[in-house]
Amino acid sequence: PLRTPPAAASSAATAPAAPSKPRSSARVLVLGGTGRVGGSTATALSKLRPDLNILIGGRNREKGESLASELGEQSEFVKIDTGNAAMLEKALEDVDLVVHTAGPFQREAECTVLQAAISTKTAYIDVCDDMDYSWRAKAFHEEAKAQGVPAITTAGIYPGVSNVMAAELVNAARSEDGEPERLRFFYYTAGSGGAGPTILATSFLLLGEDVIAYNKGEEIKLKPYSGVLNIDFGKGVRKRDVYLLNLPEVKSAHKFLGVPTVSARFGTAPFFWNWGMEAFANFLPVELLRDKDKVGKLVEQIDPLVRAIDGIVGERVSMRVSIPL
Ligand SMILES: NC(=O)c1ccc[n+]([C@@H]2O[C@H](COP(=O)([O-])OP(=O)(O)OC[C@H]3O[C@@H](n4cnc5c(N)ncnc54)[C@H](OP(=O)(O)O)[C@@H]3O)[C@@H](O)[C@H]2O)c1
């Protein structure tokens, strides 16, 4: 059986572990396993724990079966559409942990995978990067706890590791310098940062969302891709322009870490991608930027160009979490 996931961003880590489903080796379903983040997760898990049965869940059989065969006999492809609740529940009946990477999480009306995980008593973790989705997921806290289901939302790199960095920083500041007044998240990703096409859709969908930030304890709404700052990311990346985006760690840092002023900014390279993002935020109709299907079509057009430019700028990612003194 798997160990209970770490408590860092958990919504139900204090609850007893879900009753294990009797079998010889644990079964992990990686939803979105045909994609970049899910595929890397499945590969890393299989190296770390070769005894696990790793199921690659997604809609693309050809891609899924190809990865499953690379991972070996312990792995197989399972056809699943996250929009189909019955299909999800059936797949989860026979699984100990589901890792949900089948984004985009923006503009999703429901947490279908989390709900199916709770009803089938399956441990759950996702790499959500959307403010609304993460808070909707947290609303299932009591239900997950009552069922004894460990569930962690928003547990990727940023948000995810960045939240843990913020918690560490706030604790250190409290023990050394007193109460931190302001916390800022800065992110830089050259090109696509090696992520799949969904990350492009995510970026455009975020341009259709007002940015929620906190100023001296007050929630404020700001314009997406505004408020540029030039931030030093240190060796290898150095100074980069970063812009406001609506990201869930801002709200959780304010609510749970208790910091009065919090914001998150993101920037990319080459510099003209930033100009493009600014232009999209300023000139494209907001209804278009909030329409998943239309954004999906836009991404199909732009993705080949982004990949070509990735070849020139590389796929570097950097994070900085800062408390100004
Ligand atoms: N927190 C973080 O640090 C972080 C970092 C990177 C990415 N992310 C998020 O992680 C997610 C995945 O990113 P990625 O780079 O892996 O994208 P990707 O390569 O495009 O992969 C997404 C995968 O999800 C699958 N999928 C989409 N809708 C589905 C559905 N309804 N049912 C089943 N499978 C479905 C896709 O399969 P099909 O072939 O069937 O379309 C695809 O394999 C994104 O939402 C992204 O924003 C978070």
Side-chain angles (χ1 to χ4, degrees):
L2 287 160
R3 289 197 343 207
T4 306
S10 170
S11 84
T14 49
S20 59
K21 304 172 184 180
R23 64 175 64 88
S24 56
S25 53
R27 285 163 73 83
V28 178
L29 169 66
V30 183
L31 256 182
T34 49
R36 181 70 179 82
V37 172
S40 306
T41 305
T43 307
L45 261 180
S46 125
K47 284 190 184 142
L48 187 73
R49 285 278 302 267
D51 59 306
L52 292 177
N53 279 317
I54 297 178
L55 311 177
I56 307 297
R59 298 174 297 188
N60 187 324
R61 180 171 293 279
E62 200 183 327
K63 268 196 196 168
E65 286 183 345
S66 151
L67 176 59
S69 72
E70 267 175 47
L71 298 185
E73 275 178 12
Q74 298 272 78
S75 181
E76 61 183 289
F77 170 74
V78 188
K79 188 159 185 172
I80 303 175
D81 188 326
T82 55
N84 185 329
M87 203 182 206
L88 265 175
E89 285 211 9
K90 190 164 179 294
L92 292 187
E93 284 296 345
D94 202 21
V95 162
D96 299 284
L97 166 69
V98 56
V99 183
H100 179 17
T101 72
F105 295 88
Q106 285 70 18
R107 307 269 135 216
E108 278 294 299
E110 287 182 70
C111 301
T112 51
V113 183
L114 175 58
Q115 285 175 273
I118 295 172
S119 69
T120 56
K121 293 191 179 351
T122 308
Y124 170 94
I125 188 164
D126 71 42
V127 296
C128 155
D129 49 6
D130 181 63
M131 176 86 87
D132 287 346
Y133 191 100
S134 69
W135 285 84
R136 208 170 305 127
K138 281 176 196 294
F140 286 92
H141 177 88
E142 290 303 333
E143 214 177 302
K145 203 167 154 184
Q147 293 293 324
V149 174
I152 306 181
T153 185
T154 321
I157 302 294
Y158 66 80
V161 173
S162 59
N163 303 47
V164 179
M165 288 163 70
E168 287 288 321
L169 198 60
V170 167
N171 285 341
R174 284 194 175 130
S175 64
E176 288 164 24
D177 311 308
E179 202 48 39
E181 290 299 319
R182 173 183 285 196
L183 178 73
R184 283 164 153 178
F185 294 92
F186 301 119
Y187 306 123
Y188 166 76
T189 300
S192 68
T198 304
I199 203 75
L200 263 188
T202 296
S203 308
F204 294 148
L205 289 164
L206 282 174
L207 296 179
E209 293 183 12
D210 285 336
V211 175
I212 304 291
Y214 294 86
N215 184 26
K216 297 181 181 155
E218 293 291 313
E219 184 174 302
I220 51 173
K221 277 190 184 161
L222 300 163
K223 204 172 158 37
Y225 240 71
S226 65
V228 64
L229 290 178
N230 190 255
I231 294 299
D232 193 344
F233 285 88
K235 201 173 165 194
V237 174
R238 283 297 165 209
K239 289 196 160 191
R240 300 288 168 175
D241 284 346
V242 287
Y243 304 76
L244 288 162
L245 272 186
N246 191 38
L247 294 172
E249 55 271 47
V250 170
K251 189 165 174 176
S252 55
H254 174 69
K255 300 272 182 208
F256 299 123
L257 301 179
V259 182
T261 300
V262 191
S263 61
R265 285 176 170 79
F266 165 86
T268 185
F271 64 90
F272 55 78
W273 282 153
N274 288 320
W275 294 354
M277 298 272 279
E278 241 181 317
F280 277 14
N282 284 320
F283 301 117
L284 284 185
V286 81
E287 305 76 53
L288 189 157
L289 291 166
R290 289 180 183 174
D291 184 321
K292 261 186 155 171
D293 293 335
K294 287 186 180 147
V295 164
K297 292 201 176 93
L298 191 63
V299 167
E300 276 172 30
Q301 308 292 319
I302 296 176
D303 193 58
L305 181 63
V306 172
R307 303 292 151 190
I309 290 177
D310 276 4
I312 304 165
V313 293
E315 296 177 335
R316 198 165 290 175
V317 176
S318 185
M319 303 190 261
R320 179 172 167 182
V321 184
S322 138
I323 292 180
L325 296 173

